Amino acid sequence: MPRPDSSLNRFFPYLLALIAVLLMMIARMLLTPVLGSQLPFVTLFPAVFFAAWAGGLGPAVAATAASVALALYFFFPPSTSLDTTALVGPLGAVLFALTGLAAGWLGRSRLQAQVRAEAAAREAKKSEERYRVLIEQTAEGVWRIELPEPVPVTLPAAEQIDLFYARAELAECNDAMAHMYGFPSATELIGARLGDLMPRSDPKNLEFLQAFIASGYRLADAESHERDRQGGERYFLNNLIGIVEDGRIVRAWGSQRDVTNSKKAEMAVLASEARFRSVFDSGMIGIGFWNGGVVTGANDALLQMLGYTRQDLEQGLLRQGRLSPAGHEEADTRAREQVRVTGACTPYEKEFIRKDGSKVAVVAGGARLGAELNDTVFFVLDQTDRRLAEERLRHAERLEVVGQLAGGMAHEANNQMSVVLGATEFILRRTDVPPAVRQDAEYIREAAERTASITRQLLAFSRRQILQPQAVDLNTVVRKLEPILRRTLTEQQSVKVALAPDLAAVRADLVQIDQVLLNLAINARDAMPDGGTMTVETRNVRLSERYVADRPGTSIPPGPYVALVVSDTGKGIDKEAMKHLFEPFFTTKGVGKGSGLGLAMVYGIVKQSDGYIWPYSEPGMGTTFKIYLPAVSETPRQPTTAAPEEPEWRENATILVVEDDPLVRTMARRSLAEAGFEVLEAANGREALVLIMDHEEVDAVLTDLAMPELGGQELARRLSELRPGLPVIFMSGYTDDDLTRRGLLARGMPYIEKPFSPEALGRMLRAVLSPAAPSD
């Protein structure tokens, strides 16, 4: 019972004690008639006990004293007073007084305990109110998780985590925490399971709970990765403590701060740094940092580009004066001013000095990192490969122009050599020619044949010759030519052959591949005047993306190839000569010792066969030519050695000769006439069509490929419509690049190359008109 606070009411318990004593006295008196005797003295104890319970020690003493006084002086008959003569009476009074004092002391203790409990309750209420105000006003989330079935702490961590997910649920939280998860109030979040907030599939959450267990169920500023109401990612920084009772964890208290925005910002920064680091470490471009004219940081690409080590960088050896050569001051000054004004500069070309003193061409650009110009990042792109590619492109264009010129020259030369060889042949057939004239004619024929050989080499270089590609086994080619190669070399020179087993086939002209090997052998022989060894190797290779990337400016499809490698131990070739190695008429040999067409022809044959050739040489170190031809899955054809038989043919056949050059046309007409053919002439394809319409007796057509108005290909197409099955033989001293690369001349079509002799022309016509010849 709470005590009144006013001073007047302090005596209220004493009054109650006296009233209780009086009431007990009155009750005793009233009960006497009923019972027939007065109640004993101890019947006043309830009044004393009431006074002790209600007022404590003071009222209990007062009630005790009043009871003893009444017992001594106000007991009425039949017992007017307490008998004091006997020992029992005073002893009972003393015991009564002691009992009252004890009861009062106990009552006082009860009242003090009650006061303390009430004070504690008031303080607890105040604390509860403060706690509620605090957690509701704080921006942090405050929560309590309960485990209705406690989890033993002696279990392994994995089993504890399993039980946490199975049993833990949110028992209490504030609205701030609810808002973090997208709920309007705490009531909607309370009761959520642990798995709803921290998905078990996220390894970060498992790490979080493992750390909680390992720390003895206490964590400070521990990061958790959770999900909100909509399934979005949330990051929290947690402080929590687990409550362990009897070796089991029963609940956990904690608070959390939402750090999602800062975490995502941090992750964005880390991602940005990672992207920059990936670029920095990728080696694609050189990156460095300037500060006061000194390179303070650089990636490996820049160090390798400049030839410095990281130790050189740390020692401050990469400085403006050491790196930048003379002649770039104006461009460098303009770039620095642009960085100062705009924060970045337009990339510009310049050079850097490498550690070994050589120069490297680069494209450089920079940007200011801070307010100061000294704090700058710069980017450097090595232009060595680009310039090499440009040089290769210029070289290829130069070869292409030379090839076009060479092809045109060869075309005209072949036309004229056809006339010269034909006229010479006619002279030599006569029996009335004096010996001196016959000798002159032989000289003319020999010179014409040598000229024809040169034109064939020019056509090979310009890639305008007609090839007859087929599946070829290079090992078979090398074995067949090995005796010839040995005879090509001198006695002091030797041939070493290393052929790879299971060599793939290539598609090439068998005769032209022979020419490639013979020309390289002649080149090796002349490069080893004091003796040496020429080595011929074959191998299967695969040209990788890296190999292709290392040769900018050249389009090389990656894939399987067959390598034909010819090397010698000769005197080698210097760098300047290497630049012109495949150009026609370029030679390092003395006057009269070489035409300069051998390697040009090799280059043309390889390129026309869709291959690639790379020379490697240094003065005094010999020379190696590596030829790569695309591998094919076809089976090589075995060469036949049977001599061709002279075909049977119908005499007096009529041949239509179509040629725009009048001299060549005349020579072809005379050659065929002397061979026993009837001959009609046409200057172009249109005239030929008119003649065909008027002369049904034409048995075959001999036509040039390249003519004005109507060329040989179109003429053949129209003839196939007018006269199906009519044989058409093509001749040309020049085949346009489109014909060879696009395959416009169908495989198997009869073809004779200019210059040709009257005998060769007659043999071709007889073969075509032979009954055994194919009709298509």
Side-chain angles (χ1 to χ4, degrees):
M1 160 176 205
R3 292 191 172 193
D5 293 334
S6 66
S7 58
L8 293 177
N9 291 329
R10 291 179 183 175
F11 299 102
F12 183 70
Y14 293 91
L15 181 60
L16 286 177
L18 293 176
I19 292 173
V21 172
L22 292 175
L23 288 175
M24 288 303 300
M25 290 294 295
I26 293 172
R28 180 172 178 271
M29 293 176 62
L30 293 175
L31 289 174
T32 299
V34 176
L35 298 174
S37 64
Q38 289 184 337
L39 293 174
F41 176 68
V42 293
T43 55
L44 295 176
F45 271 128
V48 174
F49 293 153
F50 172 77
W53 175 83
L57 182 60
V61 171
T64 302
S67 298
V68 172
L70 290 173
L72 290 174
Y73 301 107
F74 296 102
F75 276 22
F76 297 100
S79 177
T80 57
S81 63
L82 187 65
D83 186 4
T84 57
T85 58
L87 182 61
V88 176
L91 182 60
V94 171
L95 291 175
F96 183 86
L98 292 176
T99 302
L101 289 174
W105 184 263
L106 292 175
R108 179 175 180 273
S109 299
R110 185 194 72 80
L111 289 175
Q112 288 177 341
Q114 181 180 351
V115 168
R116 287 195 299 271
E118 291 173 352
R122 288 194 298 272
E123 187 62 31
K125 184 177 181 181
K126 291 179 181 178
S127 298
E128 175 71 16
E129 292 173 352
R130 287 194 297 269
Y131 167 74
R132 286 298 170 189
V133 171
L134 177 63
I135 66 170
E136 292 301 332
Q137 290 183 349
T138 183
E140 292 193 3
V142 181
W143 52 264
R144 174 171 55 88
I145 283 180
E146 290 287 342
L147 292 163
E149 296 182 48
V151 174
V153 298
T154 55
L155 292 176
E159 294 185 25
Q160 291 189 51
I161 292 174
D162 290 340
L163 294 176
F164 287 164
Y165 273 104
R167 301 174 182 178
E169 60 182 33
L170 186 65
E172 182 182 359
C173 72
N174 60 353
D175 288 342
M177 179 176 174
H179 297 160
M180 293 177 185
Y181 291 92
F183 291 91
S185 64
T187 56
E188 297 188 44
L189 184 59
I190 291 175
R193 310 286 294 183
L194 181 63
D196 299 333
L197 304 177
M198 301 177 64
R200 184 168 187 164
S201 58
D202 191 338
K204 296 179 182 178
N205 293 333
L206 296 180
E207 293 175 5
F208 176 84
L209 292 175
Q210 288 170 350
F212 175 61
I213 296 171
S215 65
Y217 308 102
R218 288 175 178 269
L219 281 181
D221 291 335
E223 184 181 288
S224 64
H225 181 213
E226 306 184 27
R227 297 285 178 181
D228 60 18
R229 188 177 189 178
Q230 288 75 32
E233 288 186 315
R234 311 299 298 178
Y235 292 89
F236 300 112
L237 209 57
N238 300 269
N239 292 281
L240 65 158
I241 181 171
I243 306 301
V244 178
E245 297 178 356
D246 298 329
R248 297 182 300 171
I249 181 168
V250 297
R251 69 182 60 85
W253 288 88
S255 64
Q256 63 188 41
R257 295 197 308 275
D258 191 345
V259 293
T260 301
N261 293 335
S262 59
K263 182 65 177 180
K264 289 184 176 180
E266 177 187 352
M267 292 170 63
V269 171
L270 292 175
S272 178
E273 290 180 351
R275 286 193 295 270
F276 175 77
R277 174 56 62 181
S278 65
V279 173
F280 190 82
D281 294 336
S282 66
M284 297 184 299
I285 189 171
I287 302 175
F289 299 94
W290 283 112
N291 196 323
V294 179
V295 179
T296 58
N299 63 352
D300 291 339
L302 181 61
L303 293 176
Q304 292 173 5
M305 189 187 309
L306 300 179
Y308 285 90
T309 65
R310 195 153 294 280
Q311 185 178 3
D312 296 333
L313 174 69
E314 294 171 356
Q315 293 176 355
L317 298 183
L318 281 74
R319 294 177 169 272
Q320 173 73 21
R322 183 189 295 266
L323 294 178
S324 188
H328 297 275
E329 294 83 2
E330 183 178 350
D332 291 342
T333 301
R334 187 166 55 250
R336 281 195 297 271
E337 180 63 18
Q338 195 175 8
V339 170
R340 186 186 68 81
V341 175
T342 66
C345 73
T346 304
Y348 65 103
E349 292 190 2
K350 65 165 297 176
E351 289 180 325
F352 277 128
I353 301 176
R354 293 170 52 85
K355 185 178 181 179
D356 60 7
S358 62
K359 295 180 180 179
V360 56
V362 301
V363 170
R368 192 176 66 239
L369 294 176
E372 297 296 329
L373 180 61
N374 286 339
D375 192 8
T376 306
V377 60
F378 65 96
F379 307 88
V380 180
L381 181 62
D382 191 343
Q383 294 296 286
T384 303
D385 288 344
R386 183 178 70 84
R387 292 195 175 184
L388 180 60
E390 290 175 350
E391 178 59 31
R392 285 176 175 167
L393 180 59
R394 283 193 295 270
H395 180 67
E397 290 174 345
R398 184 167 63 250
L399 290 180
E400 185 65 24
V401 170
V402 174
Q404 291 176 0
L405 176 62
M409 292 171 57
H411 168 253
E412 293 302 323
N414 281 335
N415 276 341
Q416 303 311 313
M417 287 303 103
S418 295
V419 177
V420 173
L421 286 174
T424 304
E425 184 70 24
F426 294 143
I427 293 173
L428 293 175
R429 286 181 183 179
R430 296 179 57 170
T431 57
D432 58 346
V433 176
V437 175
R438 181 175 295 278
Q439 183 64 55
D440 291 339
E442 290 285 358
Y443 291 153
I444 293 173
R445 182 171 65 179
E446 183 179 349
E449 288 176 349
R450 290 183 61 185
T451 303
S453 175
I454 291 175
T455 58
R456 279 193 293 273
Q457 290 177 319
L458 287 173
L459 284 172
F461 165 73
S462 63
R463 288 168 273 168
R464 285 175 170 81
Q465 62 180 344
I466 298 296
L467 298 184
Q468 296 179 355
Q470 64 183 52
V472 174
D473 179 7
L474 290 183
N475 284 350
T476 301
V477 173
V478 174
R479 292 191 190 99
K480 178 174 70 70
L481 278 182
E482 186 176 355
I484 300 176
L485 296 177
R486 294 186 185 279
R487 289 196 297 271
T488 301
L489 303 181
T490 66
E491 294 181 356
Q492 292 80 25
Q493 298 168 344
S494 61
V495 176
K496 180 181 178 182
V497 175
L499 305 180
D502 301 324
L503 192 69
V506 299
R507 189 163 185 79
D509 187 303
L510 191 58
V511 175
Q512 298 300 329
I513 292 297
D514 289 348
Q515 286 295 318
V516 167
L517 279 170
L518 287 173
N519 276 280
L520 291 178
I522 293 171
N523 209 61
R525 179 198 64 194
D526 296 341
M528 301 183 296
D530 300 326
T533 302
M534 181 185 79
T535 303
V536 181
E537 302 176 68
T538 61
R539 63 176 78 116
N540 292 312
V541 298
R542 175 171 289 275
L543 300 187
S544 63
E545 296 282 357
R546 178 61 182 273
Y547 182 90
V548 173
D550 289 342
R551 284 154 181 79
T554 303
S555 177
I556 307 175
Y561 286 76
V562 174
L564 175 63
V565 183
V566 179
S567 57
D568 62 62
T569 58
K571 55 189 176 182
I573 307 171
D574 59 43
K575 290 184 178 180
E576 186 60 31
M578 289 282 285
K579 297 178 181 178
H580 308 281
L581 203 58
F582 296 121
E583 295 178 5
F585 306 113
F586 174 81
T587 179
T588 58
K589 302 173 184 177
V591 177
K593 295 185 178 180
S595 65
L597 287 173
L599 289 179
M601 183 177 70
V602 169
Y603 177 85
I605 293 172
V606 171
K607 299 304 288 186
Q608 197 172 359
S609 302
D610 297 326
Y612 305 90
I613 180 169
W614 306 103
Y616 302 88
S617 184
E618 291 184 18
M621 301 298 293
T623 303
T624 297
F625 290 92
K626 291 185 178 180
I627 298 172
Y628 297 100
L629 297 174
V632 297
S633 58
E634 302 176 43
T635 301
R637 281 193 335 199
Q638 297 299 323
T640 58
T641 58
E645 297 181 359
E646 185 70 20
E648 298 181 0
W649 63 286
R650 184 172 59 81
E651 297 183 356
N652 299 323
T654 300
I655 310 299
L656 173 59
V657 177
V658 189
E659 169 62 60
D660 60 314
D661 189 310
L663 289 177
V664 177
R665 187 171 67 248
T666 300
M667 192 58 59
R669 179 188 58 75
R670 182 176 173 182
S671 299
L672 293 175
E674 292 194 4
F677 294 96
E678 298 291 334
V679 183
L680 298 175
E681 297 181 45
N684 55 57
R686 296 193 184 280
E687 290 185 13
L689 290 175
V690 174
L691 284 174
I692 286 291
M693 297 293 292
D694 296 337
H695 297 77
E696 295 184 0
E697 71 276 12
V698 173
D699 297 298
V701 176
L702 174 66
T703 179
D704 192 17
L705 272 172
M707 295 183 295
E709 296 192 33
L710 189 67
Q713 283 287 329
E714 182 62 19
L715 173 61
R717 189 187 66 80
R718 295 192 185 186
L719 288 177
S720 67
E721 298 174 356
L722 292 174
R723 296 277 300 275
L726 179 66
V728 178
I729 303 96
F730 294 103
M731 60 178 174
S732 180
Y734 169 80
T735 302
D736 187 78
D737 197 32
D738 285 344
L739 291 176
T740 56
R741 294 194 179 187
R742 300 180 189 177
L744 296 180
L745 183 63
R747 185 183 302 177
M749 294 296 291
Y751 173 80
I752 185 168
E753 183 180 353
K754 298 177 185 177
F756 47 78
S757 65
E759 182 182 355
L761 182 60
R763 188 165 53 248
M764 167 67 78
L765 265 297
R766 287 193 291 272
V768 171
L769 294 174
S770 171
S775 59
D776 53 354

